[in-house]
């Protein structure tokens, strides 16, 4: 397996966790691809290694034409750019105890060999814990906390994960590359969890077949709520204030979009649709006890700052 993995830098101390995502089927809200990209950019992460893509990807399937082919850019008859498959490993020292980040492309072929190489790479870094992220679309309120489910490798992890407001997945169907790797991680005794967040998507085709649905492409609120859990679970101490603002802006933008759709197409009865979605949704908020204490203390101090406790 060593020939598949190439490192040109090794962190001085093993990272606290590897956060992993893929350009894949389960990438609703760009959670699996966009969230790692965000961490790479805002964590000043540097690329330290890769998994060789050879043998994992198809060039084409007859009849699909451009579906799988790499894109090329030509200028004056010469190749200016050629798309290549990538499975890159990054490292950020901007968090407590360091963090590895993996961003790859779900393989088409030889998933077992790919998954073993992924776990070999994590072990070569000295990583003991892996957290992957993914997203699926569902009908849920855009302004409420995202429903989060998880899949994990070792039975001993369940008790700890129960404190993070997650559902333990009962899914049955086609596997993602993440769940495939979790199965191998279990066999190898490696701690790995995948967090799946549900991303709001609304289908109005019952009212009008010509109307496209509404969905969130970059679900910053899901990114934020997943990273809140990962931040605490691995004691990373990331500053999530910017992402929290992105999440607030997203909610405001969605409110405007829903209002515009309701005004422009009243026959869709958007308000009634959204009310039903809200009524059928059971929120499972993630609010750790120390966050509650911090919020209460902040309110108390704000009261002092505003002079609420001054003598008359």
């Amino acid at each position: 397996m060593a020939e598949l993995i190439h490192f040109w830098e090794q962190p001085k101390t093993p990272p606290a966790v590897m956060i992993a995502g893929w350009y894949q089927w389960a990438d609703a809200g760009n959670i699996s691809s966009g969230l790692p990209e965000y961490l790479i950019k805002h964590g000043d992460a540097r690329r330290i290694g890769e998994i060789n893509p050879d043998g994992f990807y198809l060039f084409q399937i007859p009849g699909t034409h451009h579906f799988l082919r790499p894109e090329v850019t030509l200028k004056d008859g010469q190749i200016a750019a050629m798309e290549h498959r990538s499975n890159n490993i990054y490292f950020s020292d901007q968090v407590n105890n360091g963090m590895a980040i993996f961003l790859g492309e779900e393989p088409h072929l030889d998933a077992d060999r790919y998954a073993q190489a992924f776990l070999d790479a994590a072990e070569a870094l000295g990583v003991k814990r892996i957290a992957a992220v993914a997203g699926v679309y569902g009908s849920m309120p855009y302004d409420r906390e995202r429903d989060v489910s998880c899949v994990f490798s070792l039975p001993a992890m369940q008790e700890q994960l129960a404190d993070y407001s997650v559902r333990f997945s009962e899914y049955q169907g086609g596997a993602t590359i993440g769940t495939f790797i979790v199965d191998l991680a279990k066999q190898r005794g490696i701690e790995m969890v995948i967090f799946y967040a549900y991303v709001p998507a609304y289908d109005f085709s019952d009212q009008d077949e010509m109307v496209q649905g509404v969905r969130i492409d970059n679900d910053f609120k899901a990114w934020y709520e997943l990273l809140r859990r990962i931040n605490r679970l691995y004691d990373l101490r990331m500053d999530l204030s910017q992402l929290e603002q992105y999440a607030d802006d997203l909610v405001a933008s969605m409110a405007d979009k829903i209002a515009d759709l309701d005004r422009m197409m009243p026959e869709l009865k958007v308000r009634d649709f959204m009310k039903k979605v809200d009524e059928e949704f059971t929120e499972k908020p993630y609010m750790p006890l120390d966050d509650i204490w911090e919020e209460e203390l902040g309110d108390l101090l704000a009261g002092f700052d505003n002079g609420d406790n001054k003598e008359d």
Side-chain angles (χ1 to χ4, degrees), residues 3 174 178 255 284:
E3 73 278 3
K284 193 173 183 180

Side-chain angles (χ1 to χ4, degrees), residues 43 47 51 64 71 80-81 90 103 115 127 134 137 144 149 166-167 172 185 205 214 240 243 264 269 296 305 312:
R47 195 164 71 101
I51 295 176
T64 61
E71 290 191 5
Y90 300 81
L103 180 57
V127 170
Y137 283 114
R144 304 277 286 277
S149 65
V166 296
R167 291 185 300 101
Q172 184 174 2
S205 60
V214 175
L240 300 180
L243 195 53
M264 292 164 45
K269 300 180 181 179
E296 293 292 335
D305 291 341
D312 295 332

Side-chain angles (χ1 to χ4, degrees), residues 79-99:
I79 296 174
M82 176 68 76
E83 182 183 58
H84 294 280
R85 303 290 183 179
S86 63
N87 292 277
N88 292 318
I89 303 162
Y90 300 81
F91 175 75
S92 172
D93 55 11
Q94 301 299 304
V95 300
N96 187 43
N97 296 321
M99 169 179 61

Side-chain angles (χ1 to χ4, degrees), residues 264-288:
M264 292 164 45
M265 305 189 72
E267 68 275 12
L268 294 181
K269 300 180 181 179
V270 174
R271 295 292 182 188
D272 291 342
F273 178 92
M274 296 305 298
K275 181 179 179 182
K276 183 180 179 182
V277 168
D278 191 70
E279 290 173 347
E280 293 178 349
F281 179 69
T282 301
E283 190 172 28
K284 193 173 183 180
Y286 173 57
M287 182 59 75

Side-chain angles (χ1 to χ4, degrees), residues 102-171:
F102 178 90
L103 180 57
E105 298 186 49
E106 192 172 43
H108 306 146
L109 301 166
D110 208 351
D112 186 80
R113 181 166 162 262
Y114 179 96
Q116 297 285 9
F118 172 86
L119 293 175
D120 286 347
E123 289 191 324
L125 284 174
V127 170
K128 301 297 184 183
R129 309 169 85 185
I130 303 169
V133 291
V136 292
Y137 283 114
S139 184
M140 62 166 291
Y142 63 85
D143 57 349
R144 304 277 286 277
E145 285 201 26
R146 300 295 184 254
D147 188 24
V148 177
S149 65
C150 73
V151 180
F152 55 92
S153 59
L154 305 180
M157 299 169 62
Q158 185 169 17
E159 183 176 357
Q160 183 182 28
L161 289 169
D163 294 331
Y164 286 80
S165 298
V166 296
R167 291 185 300 101
F168 298 118
S169 181
E170 300 287 342
Y171 169 79

Side-chain angles (χ1 to χ4, degrees), residues 67-85:
F67 182 59
L68 295 174
R69 297 175 188 271
E71 290 191 5
V72 62
T73 300
L74 303 177
K75 290 186 178 180
D76 293 327
Q78 297 184 64
I79 296 174
M82 176 68 76
E83 182 183 58
H84 294 280
R85 303 290 183 179

Side-chain angles (χ1 to χ4, degrees), residues 56-72:
F56 296 126
Y57 302 100
L58 293 168
F59 182 79
Q60 58 92 23
I61 297 176
T64 61
H65 195 48
H66 288 303
F67 182 59
L68 295 174
R69 297 175 188 271
E71 290 191 5
V72 62

